[in-house]
Amino acid sequence: EVLRLVPSSSTSTFFETMMLRPKVLLLLIATARALLVTVRTPMTMKKTWDKRETLADKVGLKGAGLVGTIPVRFTQGNDTLATMALQGQPLSEVAAQCGQYVKYKCKKGECGTCEVRVDGNWIRTCVSKVPYVPEGQSFDVFVRASMVKSKKSSAFFSVRSFIAGFRNNLLGMVGFFREGFKGTRYFEERMSVEQEILDKVKARKAARLAEQQSSAS
């Protein structure tokens, strides 16, 4: 079907021009392959992310810490996660240890994104550490209910991306053939000019030869 777009009178010249341009041919092949991949890609191809299993889940103890003598409890709404920690241990590490989600941004204690409440005061998780806690007591941390990890599936393919890819490939092929037709026209013009020059050179040679023959006779 593509060949019908090329005028019959310039078909051979067009393909001769294309043969002189290997980069253009490679571009056409790459565009065709990309179009085939786009068409054959299944429309339901999505990646689902699984939650990593923590060590506490493996041993069967929800929120159990590895080592430590200080009980730490993270409360968020009606949910409470408990673990054990050491004095001076980073609070961010303790939160990750028991599976408590805390949202961070700067991780320098400047933005306040990771603030949690302890003993009525707001502290920043990224720069805070577990303090000394008397035996028999726990270090209670209250996390904002709004601090929830957003659940989004990463879509590698969608209808919109299919349409955009098809449109881009189509525009690329149209532009390729448009430039090819321009190149063909310019090539024909150049060849006609070169032919005129050759004809003039032949005429001059013929006139000079005739002059020499007449002078010799």
Side-chain angles (χ1 to χ4, degrees), residues 27-162:
L27 177 62
L28 177 60
I29 295 172
T31 304
R33 286 182 178 177
L35 183 60
L36 288 175
V37 171
T38 303
V39 172
R40 293 180 179 179
T41 304
M43 300 183 67
T44 58
M45 186 177 180
K46 289 187 176 181
K47 169 86 174 169
T48 55
W49 300 98
D50 298 327
K51 182 180 178 182
R52 289 186 178 181
E53 186 180 19
T54 62
L55 182 58
D57 297 330
K58 290 181 180 179
V59 300
L61 297 174
K62 185 178 181 181
L66 301 179
V67 292
T69 57
I70 301 174
V72 180
R73 295 188 302 180
F74 290 89
T75 302
Q76 185 177 25
N78 297 325
D79 298 328
T80 300
L81 296 174
T83 186
M84 301 296 291
L86 295 170
Q87 181 180 350
Q89 187 175 357
L91 187 57
S92 59
E93 181 181 309
V94 179
Q97 176 178 291
C98 71
Q100 174 62 51
Y101 173 73
V102 178
K103 186 176 181 180
Y104 301 97
K105 193 172 182 181
C106 70
K107 292 189 177 182
K108 297 178 181 179
E110 297 174 356
C111 65
T113 304
C114 61
E115 281 187 338
V116 294
R117 185 164 51 86
V118 177
D119 293 333
N121 299 317
W122 291 96
I123 64 173
R124 299 182 177 181
T125 309
C126 61
V127 293
S128 300
K129 296 182 179 181
V130 178
Y132 167 77
V133 177
E135 188 175 352
Q137 297 183 16
S138 63
F139 184 64
D140 296 327
V141 181
F142 294 90
V143 183
R144 292 192 301 260
S146 60
M147 194 179 290
V148 180
K149 187 175 183 180
S150 59
K151 296 181 179 179
K152 293 181 180 179
S153 61
S154 177
F156 287 94
F157 185 81
S158 63
V159 176
R160 182 177 296 179
S161 64
F162 171 80

